[in-house]
Amino acid sequence: MNNYIPTFSNLQVRHIFVCSQCALCGSDIEIVRHLAYGCPFAQQVLQGLGIVTSSFPVDVNLFMWFAFLFKSLTTYSKKLVVIAYWSIWGVVKEKDSWSPPTIGRVKVNFDASFNQSLLQSVSEIVIRNPNGLLMVVGSFPNSHVVSPEMAEALACEQALTLSKDLCFCKIEVEGYALTIISKL
């Protein structure tokens, strides 16, 4: 797992030159171990989901740490952890291709993942200022979703609602759902 996840440090080993600092916290080198349980931002996301990992041992290898984590969680919480880490990694990957909004605005990016067999989706929302600093990151699980288009529409709606609820008046919205964005 350590050598396969495309963290910045693993990309550098493969001679793909990128900055190895964690894009989320900037306080350490981005390796799998840091993203899993060393990054304060990742810990804040997990705590927001009600998953406290501060009592878990950090001196064990990554596989043992995840085994310890998953042993103490319900099936639903395990799903939330997987979604949270997927979202955290999505934020890191997206930062490389992200373009800033116009000065005086924030950029609201959204995306959705869809599980057809369970009729569930997860909306991912990231709000950044013109300097690229993360202001808000959110993941929202959705039930009774019947199509990928509905999942994207829900993600867009949740992004706009979150922006409004947080009193962001001047926003630029960006997502990959051209059909949904065109209809808006």
Side-chain angles (χ1 to χ4, degrees):
M1 188 157 125
N2 284 331
N3 296 324
Y4 296 104
I5 296 176
T7 61
F8 291 152
S9 61
N10 280 344
L11 290 174
Q12 283 185 333
V13 167
R14 293 181 181 98
H15 305 290
I16 300 170
F17 297 102
V18 293
C19 175
S20 61
Q21 285 299 110
C22 176
L24 298 172
C25 71
S27 67
D28 206 343
I29 294 181
E30 184 194 273
I31 57 175
V32 175
R33 182 181 209 136
H34 175 75
L35 282 179
Y37 54 80
C39 179
F41 179 83
Q43 289 302 308
Q44 187 178 12
V45 170
L46 291 174
Q47 288 172 3
L49 294 171
I51 298 165
V52 179
T53 61
S54 58
S55 62
F56 292 0
V58 295
D59 57 342
V60 298
N61 73 42
L62 191 62
F63 291 108
M64 291 178 68
W65 188 85
F66 272 111
F68 190 79
L69 171 65
F70 275 75
K71 191 165 125 179
S72 67
L73 298 176
T74 65
T75 301
Y76 180 74
S77 293
K78 288 176 187 175
K79 290 178 184 179
L80 286 178
V81 167
V82 171
I83 291 166
Y85 279 116
W86 182 83
S87 297
I88 290 166
W89 181 246
V91 168
V92 171
K93 279 182 17 188
E94 182 185 277
K95 190 162 182 166
D96 288 339
S97 62
W98 180 81
S99 62
T102 307
I103 300 295
R105 297 175 184 247
V106 296
K107 179 160 278 181
V108 181
N109 293 88
F110 71 91
D111 199 3
S113 58
F114 174 62
N115 184 321
Q116 187 170 4
S117 62
L118 297 176
L119 296 178
Q120 294 177 339
S121 72
V122 177
S123 303
E124 295 85 25
I125 300 165
V126 177
I127 302 177
R128 292 192 189 98
N129 71 10
N131 297 325
L133 295 175
L134 292 170
M135 300 176 78
V136 179
V137 176
S139 291
F140 302 92
N142 303 299
S143 301
H144 312 293
V145 180
V146 297
S147 70
E149 294 80 16
M150 183 177 176
E152 290 289 343
L154 275 169
C156 185
E157 176 192 30
Q158 289 166 329
L160 293 172
T161 300
L162 181 62
S163 300
K164 180 183 172 203
D165 290 348
L166 295 173
C167 300
F168 291 118
C169 299
K170 296 181 179 182
I171 65 172
E172 291 179 18
V173 180
E174 184 175 78
Y176 298 108
L178 183 59
T179 306
I180 303 305
I181 293 171
S182 297
K183 289 184 180 188
L184 287 175

